[in-house]
Amino acid sequence: MNYYVDIDLRPDPEFPPNQLMSALYAKLHRALVARDSADIGVSFPGFDAKAPHLGTCLRLHGELSEVSELMASAWLTGMRDHVEAADPAAVPGNSQFRIVRRVQAHSNPERMRRRLMRRQQIDEAQARLRIPDSTAEFLELPFVQLRSTSTGQPFRLFIEHGPLRSEQASGTFSAYGLSPSATVPWF
C-alpha cells in the first residue's frame, strides 16, 4: 500500500454528493470484481461518523502497478463529468493506518424469523416470541446505496473507519475494497 489515488466528486446542482458517491462506488465495485484482485483498498478521507456521511473523496490504496492499471482501465466511463481523478502518488512517510470495513446490521427481524422457522422447524408464533421486533439493529454509520447484481434489490453498504493505528496490518480486500483486518494508510 505504497500509493494512492484521490477521486474527488465535482459539485453538481442536479445530484447530491451521496448519490454521486454511490454511483462511483458501484462502478468501482464492478471494476474490482472484473479484475478479481484483492490488492486494492479504499478509504474516504472526508468521512464524518457524526453526520454520518462519506464525504466527497474516494481514495484508492495499493501498489503503483495495481492502482495505475485500474486507473488506466475504463471503469470511470460515465462518471468523468462528475469526478476529478488525480495521478497516483506516494503515500506520505508519516502516515498512520486504519481498518476500513463493511458492517452489516441485523435490521430485518422478519427475515431472521423465517430463517429460524426453517432451521428449527417451528411455527411463526414461536419464532415471533424468540425474535421480537425490538431486535432490529439500526446502524448510524455512513453508507453507499448499491443494487445487488444477483437479486436486483437495493441495499445499503455501511462502512466503518476503525481507530487510528501506528502499525500497518496486511491482509486482503474484498471486491468492495474493504477488509476486516487489513489496514490502509491514513493521512
Side-chain angles (χ1 to χ4, degrees):
M1 300 265 136
N2 297 331
Y3 283 82
Y4 72 98
V5 173
D6 280 347
I7 303 171
D8 292 300
L9 298 177
R10 292 183 177 138
D12 190 311
E14 295 180 30
F15 302 104
N18 61 330
Q19 188 176 1
L20 290 173
M21 183 61 76
S22 292
L24 176 63
Y25 200 78
K27 285 188 163 291
L28 173 65
H29 170 60
R30 288 191 294 273
L32 292 176
V33 167
R35 287 175 43 84
D36 194 27
S37 172
D39 297 330
I40 293 182
V42 301
S43 67
F44 300 87
F47 93 99
D48 184 352
K50 293 178 184 144
H53 65 83
L54 293 170
T56 59
C57 179
L58 171 65
R59 182 172 285 164
L60 306 176
H61 302 271
E63 297 304 320
L64 181 59
S65 60
E66 294 286 328
V67 294
S68 295
E69 186 180 313
L70 177 64
M71 294 308 291
S73 70
W75 76 276
L76 282 173
T77 301
M79 290 295 297
R80 291 278 180 199
D81 292 343
H82 303 287
V83 300
E84 189 171 321
D87 291 330
V91 170
N94 61 346
S95 299
Q96 290 187 297
F97 302 92
R98 73 181 346 149
I99 292 173
V100 181
R101 68 185 188 104
R102 178 181 185 178
V103 177
Q104 291 180 275
H106 300 288
S107 59
N108 189 339
E110 198 60 43
R111 182 177 55 229
M112 292 187 291
R113 286 185 203 116
R114 285 192 306 267
R115 184 176 183 207
L116 181 66
M117 288 166 36
R118 274 194 316 269
R119 289 180 169 220
Q120 302 279 320
Q121 306 296 318
I122 61 174
D123 65 15
E124 185 177 349
Q126 289 174 318
R128 194 168 288 283
L129 284 174
R130 288 190 190 178
I131 303 174
D133 287 340
S134 61
T135 60
E137 180 183 8
F138 297 100
L139 298 174
E140 292 187 19
L141 289 171
F143 63 88
V144 289
Q145 185 77 34
L146 300 175
R147 186 168 297 278
S148 169
T149 53
S150 58
T151 67
Q153 295 295 315
F155 70 96
R156 290 180 175 177
L157 185 121
F158 291 92
I159 299 172
E160 179 182 65
H161 287 70
L164 290 173
R165 301 172 168 206
S166 58
E167 296 293 319
Q168 184 174 3
S170 62
T172 59
F173 293 90
S174 70
Y176 292 111
L178 305 171
S179 176
S181 59
T183 57
V184 294
W186 188 260
F187 48 94

